Amino acid sequence: MDIAHLIQTYGYFAVALGSFLEGEAVLLAGSLAAYHGHLALAAVMGIAAVASFMGDLPYFFAGRRYGARALRRFPSLRQRKRRVESLMHKHHIMLVLCLRFLYGMRVAGLLALGMSRISTLRFLVLDLFSAVLWSASICAAGYGAGGFFRRIFTEGVAPEQLALPVAVLAGTVLFWMVWRRAVAALGD
């Protein structure tokens, strides 16, 4: 049994499980496998979007059902909840759309959204759209990386050909730093 056979046999299941549990790395690996012809890219994207969406639901509904009980049990959380609710009231659409892109914030954010006043239907629509956007962007990055690395290793790359990838990486890091500061400022 070779690795290609294992990927073709279990790859879609791994993408589904990884995406359900918050797995950008698994989705990147799945899209790299798609680049090399072991999986179908459209299937990887679709499975990841649905599994990621489904993975959000238990946390949202746990917040919806048990949030009030948690607030009664831990009174110190009430003040924080008021602050978070005011932020969610103003920015709930962007919060739902961006939450899965904020590493380490997905579960806490989904629980908080469940405790908020956002309608279930609105959350479901926004979250499904966010899951599709997340899946497409991570798959595009993985598939593109497959082509980029294949070219580097087979043909070699001139320094000027690295300008665009380096600029994209620098821009991404800069955006991430600005985003983290903005999120920290909102929390104060």
Side-chain angles (χ1 to χ4, degrees):
M1 202 181 290
D2 62 346
I3 291 179
H5 178 72
L6 288 173
I7 292 171
Q8 292 166 353
T9 304
Y10 302 108
Y12 294 118
F13 175 75
V15 167
L17 184 62
S19 298
F20 184 85
L21 298 173
E22 186 176 6
E24 285 84 359
V26 173
L27 186 52
L28 284 169
S31 55
L32 279 169
Y35 176 81
H36 290 287
H38 302 298
L39 301 174
L41 184 63
V44 169
M45 274 190 216
I47 290 168
V50 170
S52 179
F53 173 73
M54 297 302 288
D56 289 352
L57 299 180
Y59 299 111
F60 176 80
F61 287 114
R64 182 73 26 121
R65 179 168 180 150
Y66 302 110
R69 188 180 310 166
L71 290 175
R72 281 192 304 272
R73 185 165 186 193
F74 303 104
S76 63
L77 294 176
R78 284 189 204 135
Q79 183 65 16
R80 291 184 208 156
K81 181 187 181 285
R82 285 188 204 109
R83 175 75 175 137
V84 169
E85 257 188 355
S86 73
L87 290 172
M88 276 196 247
H89 181 70
K90 296 175 192 169
H91 308 288
H92 69 277
I93 292 174
M94 284 305 293
L95 182 63
V96 175
L97 292 176
C98 295
L99 188 60
R100 72 184 65 252
F101 292 95
L102 300 174
Y103 182 75
M105 295 296 296
R106 182 176 169 195
V107 172
L110 290 166
L111 289 169
L113 281 166
M115 289 190 295
S116 74
R117 291 185 217 134
I118 187 171
S119 77
T120 301
L121 181 60
R122 175 172 248 173
F123 168 78
L124 292 174
V125 169
L126 290 170
D127 193 53
L128 181 59
F129 180 74
S130 174
V132 170
L133 182 65
W134 172 81
S135 174
S137 62
I138 300 298
C139 281
Y143 198 86
F148 178 72
F149 288 121
R150 177 179 219 131
R151 187 166 181 204
I152 285 176
F153 293 131
T154 59
E155 301 171 17
V157 174
E160 61 271 9
Q161 291 175 309
L162 292 176
L164 181 61
V166 168
V168 168
L169 180 62
T172 302
V173 169
L174 181 62
F175 176 78
W176 178 76
M177 291 169 57
V178 169
W179 179 265
R180 295 224 359 136
R181 285 185 185 216
V183 168
L186 286 174
D188 292 338

